[in-house]
Amino acid sequence: MTSIRSYAWITIALLLASSLILLFHLSTTNDEFSRYNVGWNGTSSFFSTLDRHTTTDVIDPSGLAGYDNATLVIIAPDYEMTPAEGALYRDYVLRGNTLLLADDSGSGNTLLRSLGSTIVIRQGNLTSVDQAYTDAHLIVVTPVRVARFFPMGSSLVLNRAATLTGGEPLLTTTIFSRMDENPDKEQRSVAGVWGRYTVMAEEKIGNGTVYVLSDPSIFINGMKDPGAPYANGFFLHEIAHTPGPLLIDSFSSRTGRVDGVGEIIQLVRSNDTYQVMIAALLMTGIVIAWNRRII
Amino acid sequence: MKFPWLPVLVLGCIVLGGFAVFATGPLLYGVEMDHAVSVFHKNPAELTRMATSSMTELVPLMQAVIDDQHPIVVDLQLNDPDAAQRDLTKYRLRYASLQNMVDKLDMNDGEIRSFMNSTQDQVDIFADLLTQATLSDTLKTIGERREYKNDQDMQVSVASQSAAYKNAVLMLSTRYLSGHENIMNISTKLDLDTRRYQETRVEIQKFVETMESAEVPTSDPASLRESRIRLLIEPEQVMYRDTVQVFGVATPEGVRRVVSVRIDNSSLKTTSTDLKGNYLTNFTVENIRAGDHTILAGTGNLTPAKQILRVMKVGSVTTLTVKPGHLPALGTGAHCSGSVMANHPVQNAPVKILFDGEGSIDTRTGEDGNYQVFVPLSPGNHKLQAEFSSGDYPLIPSVSKEVAIVVPPPPLRLPDISSSNPLFASGIVALVLLGAGSAGFWYFRRSKRAPPADTESFTEPADALRIREKLEEILKETERDFPPAGSEQEAELYHAINTLLGQYERCLREQGLSEAARQVYLTLAERIATRFHFPAYRTLTAREMSKICNAENYAGIFYRFVGIYETIRYGGSKSEKDRKEFEEELLKADTEIRSDQH
């Protein structure tokens, strides 16, 4: 009897371990900017620092109603909003809330127009002599005045950033920077006019404030800690621990993206009812197996 | 449960399928595996790794570059230009590696740049010193010629070139020492080991001292005022790939002149004189036919000077190695390789591969004299031969030995799924794994059920044996005297066949109490073992068997049954009391085990 049950238990333990690995694997993704991506280009690290008591996932713009003194973070949007959806974001800002948009693809321009902002994200190849990692696309930027997200005198590293026009500049490149507005297909070209380019700007709209950062890659796992002289970690910490409620946009942002089996697993993980149902099913299975002397 | 292994098999398949997906997924994500180009960002970890690994390689390479100068200077000191040339080639490769790394790390400024510039200059200095050393040898050889003493042109040229050589070496050494100081400063800062590099400096100084102390031949000063150009070549008799030194002096001195060197009225080289009128160049004998050739050196309106160069013919050897093969694009055929060698490997030589005396394919040798070509051939027997027809080379033509091969028919190939849709490829892999798993499972079960036919010591499984024995017994009974239907004998027979007690009574009559007790114990044990899916129950003792079912309802009854069974079977008891007790316990155990199973 002992040998039979040991055999069964070992088999079950192995299957369970394999299933757990499989489940963990399936629950991840390699989508860029996804919070479920644990690789270098995912944002799992930033999302793991968020306080679940003060952070809310906004899966629909109608969920923005009723918030005061809140900060909404939109990272890497890839959805062109309709005027109706844009109006909901505008109402949210006009009420006195803060919106932080991090985008270099240009999708955020639709939202900025809906908000009535003058800030425009301009795509192109931004390179700089002041660079990190011996790569001209990983540029070093510095604050031009005091702002809530970074200490004065600090500098940040951005990764293939775009540039901004309009608004009040907060972060700019050094003067040894160039912007190639007609980049080559591989985005490797280094050309353009030397000068100082804005990469983060602020604009007051109604009672609220809109911040635009022209590089969402600062949120990816690989950029979390670029080294001691750079304040990337401080910047992310300030956003994660902003005063008031923190809202994370999953409606238009690429951070909420997960597909296939991972989508089902994340759905179950985010829903208590599903979790209880699955736990009950598992318990039933175990009881049946025990009763039928399978285990 | 009819198929207890089915859930395990299903779960196993799910896990295998999961791992198939896992193998192509992103969970174990190494930066070195990341080749994806994103327009949004680059992988900083990968950039860091590349920079770090390159930096760790940079300093050792710099050390090697400064150390590798030493053997070149020693070769020059020992008057071994061939060895010096080999070491210089090696040094150039080392320097090129360092230059690539510096470019990759974008370090083309500051001290690294200064180090690189000075080192590059030293590469050029060594190349010039080597040329000068070769010239020195040439001048010595000419000075030893018989006609030297009577040939004034020769004396003028040798004297002038010797003075120029001395001057050139002095200038080169001064340049070298200047660069040496700069490199020493940078190397010390970078904590490089400079002992060997210091030795190189000492060797250079010794080389210059030796050269300065050498006696320089003199010539008649009046002849230097004549307007004419002189030409010397060394050697005058050459073979394939020998280097010919071409030099002389154009007088009067004071102007730089352009000198064109021709061979049989074909242009060969153009060079220029220094202010003293000395010129120096060389060429390598390659595509020059054997025989006498006129070398001419001319400048301006001066009458060209000429010398005769004799090119000797050298034998060549062509080899051929053949291997049957198949290329997807060309079909079946033969991989042919070989070489054309003379006194040196024959470079860029035309080679014709002849096959079956009816066709041929042309190819050429490389820098090392080797060639390689695929000759498409139909499956079957073939004969091949390589032919080098020397053409313009000063070489004797050669043909390889004939090689016979058998070209096999094209191999059968499985379809390549590596370039297909990843999902399709994963599906194929999953199917193969599933098939292999199922086959393994089936084989395992089959091997457990059916023992090898050639095993003499085969023992029939207990269940099968008992069933077969029972069936044989019943058949025998039936054949002997099957009782009429509804008779008392038929009822007894039914009782004997179908109840355990009946079996016991029948066995008791025929074989005695001990064997009857054993038979009924085995029947009960078989029932219990079937319930626990434990076919090897006969390997257990009766007590071990009772432990297996100690959690069952009938455990106590079976335990007592085993106790009295052991008294009869192993204690040898034949007492009436024990027999009655055994029969009572047998009835109870039979009833309880049967009811529990139902």
Side-chain angles (χ1 to χ4, degrees):
Chain A
M1 182 171 174
T2 309
S3 59
I4 293 170
R5 294 210 166 175
S6 299
Y7 168 77
W9 281 117
I10 291 167
T11 308
I12 288 163
L14 282 173
L15 286 173
L16 201 63
S18 307
S19 304
L20 281 173
I21 293 169
L22 186 64
L23 197 69
F24 177 63
H25 166 67
L26 293 175
S27 67
T28 63
T29 176
N30 57 0
D31 285 348
E32 286 185 314
F33 298 109
S34 174
R35 68 182 76 178
Y36 309 113
N37 180 352
V38 295
W40 69 272
N41 57 357
T43 51
S44 61
S45 181
F46 170 70
F47 278 87
S48 69
T49 61
L50 301 183
D51 184 347
R52 67 192 182 96
H53 298 292
T54 57
T55 308
T56 306
D57 214 16
V58 177
I59 54 171
D60 192 280
S62 58
L64 294 170
Y67 279 104
D68 289 314
N69 195 29
T71 301
L72 171 67
V73 180
I74 306 175
I75 302 167
D78 62 350
Y79 173 73
E80 299 283 333
M81 289 182 198
T82 62
E85 289 160 349
L88 293 169
Y89 284 92
R90 182 177 168 78
D91 290 344
Y92 163 81
V93 176
L94 290 174
R95 284 201 307 275
N97 293 297
T98 301
L99 186 148
L100 170 62
L101 170 67
D103 178 38
D104 57 6
S105 69
S107 304
N109 282 331
T110 316
L111 173 64
L112 290 170
R113 281 196 295 275
S114 301
L115 296 173
S117 170
T118 60
I119 301 174
V120 177
I121 302 164
R122 297 171 67 89
Q123 285 181 278
N125 249 2
L126 179 61
T127 54
S128 178
V129 172
D130 292 299
Q131 57 192 247
Y133 302 105
T134 66
D135 190 294
H137 291 94
L138 274 80
I139 59 171
V140 176
V141 295
T142 50
V144 290
R145 63 186 175 83
V146 177
R148 58 185 276 198
F149 298 113
F150 30 74
M152 198 61 197
S154 61
S155 57
L156 282 80
V157 181
L158 301 186
N159 193 331
R160 282 189 178 276
T163 59
L164 303 174
T165 56
E168 290 288 320
L170 288 179
L171 277 176
T172 63
T173 66
T174 65
I175 198 152
F176 303 108
S177 306
R178 286 192 283 183
M179 176 69 173
D180 184 358
E181 295 190 358
N182 298 300
D184 57 343
K185 199 177 172 186
E186 287 81 24
Q187 302 277 332
R188 289 178 184 160
S189 59
V190 178
V193 180
W194 292 101
R196 201 182 293 276
Y197 292 91
T198 303
V199 291
M200 187 171 183
E202 175 189 20
E203 189 171 19
K204 298 279 179 193
I205 297 176
N207 296 324
T209 310
V210 172
Y211 293 96
V212 181
L213 174 65
S214 64
D215 182 30
S217 303
I218 198 168
F219 291 94
I220 65 172
N221 300 335
M223 291 295 291
K224 187 185 173 191
D225 185 18
Y230 306 115
N232 287 37
F234 184 90
F235 177 77
L236 297 179
H237 181 270
E238 284 301 300
I239 292 171
H241 300 89
T242 186
L246 178 63
L247 310 178
I248 300 292
D249 185 277
S250 295
F251 174 68
S252 62
S253 167
R254 299 177 70 187
T255 56
R257 300 285 186 271
V258 62
D259 49 13
V261 183
E263 190 174 1
I264 298 167
I265 294 170
Q266 298 304 341
L267 184 68
V268 171
R269 281 180 61 182
S270 61
N271 192 307
D272 291 343
T273 313
Y274 285 140
Q275 288 183 29
V276 170
M277 282 170 64
I278 286 174
L281 278 173
L282 283 173
M283 288 302 293
T284 310
I286 290 168
V287 168
I288 290 171
W290 185 271
N291 194 42
R292 293 179 70 88
R293 297 174 192 283
I294 295 170
I295 57 173
Chain B
M1 195 172 182
K2 197 172 180 182
F3 301 108
W5 42 266
L6 193 61
V8 178
L9 182 67
V10 171
L11 280 169
C13 290
I14 292 168
V15 172
L16 278 177
F19 278 121
V21 176
F22 172 81
T24 56
L27 180 58
L28 299 178
Y29 206 88
V31 289
E32 62 277 10
M33 299 288 286
D34 179 36
H35 301 302
V37 177
S38 169
V39 295
F40 300 107
H41 36 237
K42 292 182 176 181
N43 187 350
E46 191 182 21
L47 294 171
T48 309
R49 185 180 60 82
M50 285 168 64
T52 307
S53 59
S54 298
M55 277 303 290
T56 53
E57 290 163 10
L58 182 70
V59 173
L61 203 51
M62 289 172 79
Q63 179 74 57
V65 162
I66 60 169
D67 285 351
D68 281 358
Q69 291 187 1
H70 190 259
I72 302 170
V73 184
V74 171
D75 294 334
L76 288 172
Q77 278 267 55
L78 296 172
N79 198 18
D80 187 350
D82 291 339
Q85 184 61 57
R86 280 197 301 275
D87 287 331
L88 183 62
T89 306
K90 187 179 153 194
Y91 182 71
R92 279 195 166 119
L93 289 173
R94 190 85 79 181
Y95 177 81
S97 302
L98 181 62
Q99 182 65 59
N100 282 341
M101 192 168 287
V102 168
D103 289 343
K104 193 171 139 192
L105 293 172
D106 198 18
M107 295 174 77
N108 281 308
D109 53 5
E111 290 185 328
I112 295 290
R113 182 70 271 157
S114 175
F115 180 91
M116 294 305 294
N117 286 341
S118 297
T119 322
Q120 172 63 60
D121 190 43
Q122 290 186 341
V123 174
D124 298 339
I125 290 168
F126 285 127
D128 288 346
L129 278 175
L130 187 57
T131 308
Q132 295 297 332
T134 312
L135 173 65
S136 170
D137 279 355
T138 305
L139 294 174
K140 271 185 198 163
T141 311
I142 291 171
E144 288 162 5
R145 283 186 194 169
R146 278 186 196 170
E147 66 271 28
Y148 177 75
K149 284 181 182 172
N150 303 322
D151 189 331
Q152 202 176 25
D153 282 354
M154 204 179 273
Q155 288 174 11
V156 169
S157 294
V158 168
S160 185
Q161 286 288 348
S162 297
Y165 157 74
K166 201 169 182 177
N167 193 37
V169 170
L170 272 172
M171 284 172 63
L172 288 171
S173 66
T174 310
R175 238 171 80 194
Y176 178 84
L177 294 176
S178 165
H180 188 279
E181 194 178 341
N182 182 38
I183 290 174
M184 272 300 293
N185 289 336
I186 298 166
S187 302
T188 310
K189 278 186 193 171
L190 292 172
D191 207 21
L192 298 180
D193 182 358
T194 56
R195 284 173 296 180
R196 202 170 164 80
Y197 191 54
Q198 291 279 36
E199 286 172 21
T200 307
R201 178 195 165 97
V202 174
E203 295 294 338
I204 284 277
Q205 284 170 329
K206 277 186 196 169
F207 178 67
V208 173
E209 281 165 15
T210 311
M211 184 272 306
E212 278 184 323
S213 62
E215 192 180 330
V216 177
T218 53
S219 61
D220 179 13
S223 62
L224 293 174
R225 289 191 286 273
E226 294 174 21
S227 288
R228 57 182 302 197
I229 181 167
R230 296 162 186 85
L231 168 68
L232 288 178
I233 57 171
E234 174 63 27
E236 292 174 313
Q237 284 194 0
V238 290
M239 291 188 292
Y240 174 70
R241 289 201 63 76
D242 281 352
T243 299
V244 182
Q245 296 281 346
V246 180
F247 61 97
V249 60
T251 52
E253 64 180 38
V255 282
R256 290 186 188 276
R257 303 166 197 263
V258 175
V259 177
S260 62
V261 181
R262 302 169 71 80
I263 179 166
D264 300 335
N265 287 325
S266 300
S267 179
L268 191 66
K269 287 258 181 176
T270 302
T271 184
S272 60
T273 66
D274 58 15
L275 288 172
K276 297 274 184 189
N278 296 299
Y279 66 92
L280 169 68
T281 186
N282 62 49
F283 68 92
T284 303
V285 177
E286 285 181 322
N287 289 15
I288 301 173
R289 285 179 182 274
D292 287 350
H293 299 271
T294 306
I295 307 293
L296 294 158
T299 179
N301 54 4
L302 299 181
T303 307
K306 68 176 182 181
Q307 291 284 346
I308 300 299
L309 176 72
R310 178 160 292 171
V311 179
M312 315 292 285
K313 223 169 196 179
V314 185
S316 70
V317 177
T318 301
T319 61
L320 171 67
T321 308
V322 180
K323 195 178 166 189
H326 174 265
L327 290 180
L330 299 173
T332 57
H335 294 283
C336 298
S337 59
S339 63
V340 181
M341 299 295 287
N343 53 334
H344 291 277
V346 184
Q347 297 180 350
N348 203 30
V351 177
K352 196 184 283 284
I353 308 291
L354 308 162
F355 50 90
D356 301 328
E358 56 189 29
S360 67
I361 277 191
D362 293 325
T363 184
R364 279 190 175 271
T365 59
E367 294 288 303
D368 54 358
N370 293 328
Y371 66 89
Q372 202 168 359
V373 66
F374 182 81
V375 180
L377 295 168
S378 58
N381 295 314
H382 298 278
K383 287 182 176 172
L384 295 100
Q385 206 167 20
E387 182 187 84
F388 165 60
S389 52
S390 55
D392 286 340
Y393 288 83
L395 299 169
I396 298 167
S398 58
V399 181
S400 75
K401 284 181 183 171
E402 195 173 66
V403 181
I405 57 155
V406 180
V407 176
L412 288 172
R413 288 185 183 277
L414 290 171
D416 179 18
I417 60 165
S418 60
S419 56
S420 308
N421 186 329
L423 275 177
F424 174 72
S426 303
I428 294 284
V429 171
L431 275 176
V432 169
L433 285 172
L434 194 61
S438 304
F441 187 76
W442 173 78
Y443 178 77
F444 178 70
R445 282 186 67 81
R446 185 171 168 273
S447 63
K448 278 189 79 177
R449 280 180 179 167
D454 57 346
T455 309
E456 286 180 4
S457 59
F458 161 66
T459 1
E460 198 173 0
D463 298 351
L465 179 67
R466 285 179 58 74
I467 290 165
R468 188 168 58 76
E469 281 174 352
K470 278 179 192 170
L471 282 171
E472 282 171 358
E473 200 175 323
I474 290 164
L475 283 170
K476 276 180 193 167
E477 288 282 339
T478 309
E479 281 168 7
R480 198 165 53 209
D481 54 350
F482 195 79
S487 64
E488 196 175 323
Q489 288 91 337
E490 190 204 40
E492 276 180 20
L493 182 60
Y494 179 83
H495 179 74
I497 292 170
N498 292 292
T499 68
L500 185 61
L501 195 61
Q503 287 173 27
Y504 164 73
E505 285 169 354
R506 185 176 181 79
C507 195
L508 181 66
R509 279 199 303 275
E510 291 173 1
Q511 298 180 44
L513 180 60
S514 177
E515 183 56 26
R518 179 173 169 272
Q519 289 298 323
V520 291
Y521 160 74
L522 286 174
T523 304
L524 288 175
E526 183 193 358
R527 285 188 201 163
I528 294 167
T530 305
R531 175 163 172 67
F532 284 101
H533 313 298
F534 188 65
Y537 68 94
R538 291 183 76 146
T539 61
L540 302 182
T541 63
R543 281 186 185 269
E544 286 169 342
M545 199 67 206
S546 76
K547 278 183 186 169
I548 282 179
C549 58
N550 66 359
E552 302 298 314
N553 295 332
Y554 53 80
I557 290 165
F558 188 70
Y559 181 77
R560 285 196 296 278
F561 169 77
V562 165
I564 188 67
Y565 163 69
E566 284 178 337
T567 308
I568 291 169
R569 179 70 183 164
Y570 303 115
S573 173
K574 291 180 180 171
S575 72
E576 190 65 14
K577 182 184 165 220
D578 288 340
R579 186 179 66 79
K580 281 188 177 171
E581 190 183 341
F582 178 77
E583 286 167 0
E584 280 170 17
E585 294 299 334
L586 172 63
L587 272 173
K588 285 180 196 168
D590 182 30
T591 310
E592 287 299 318
I593 291 170
R594 194 188 292 274
S595 67
D596 192 65
Q597 284 175 336
H598 291 155

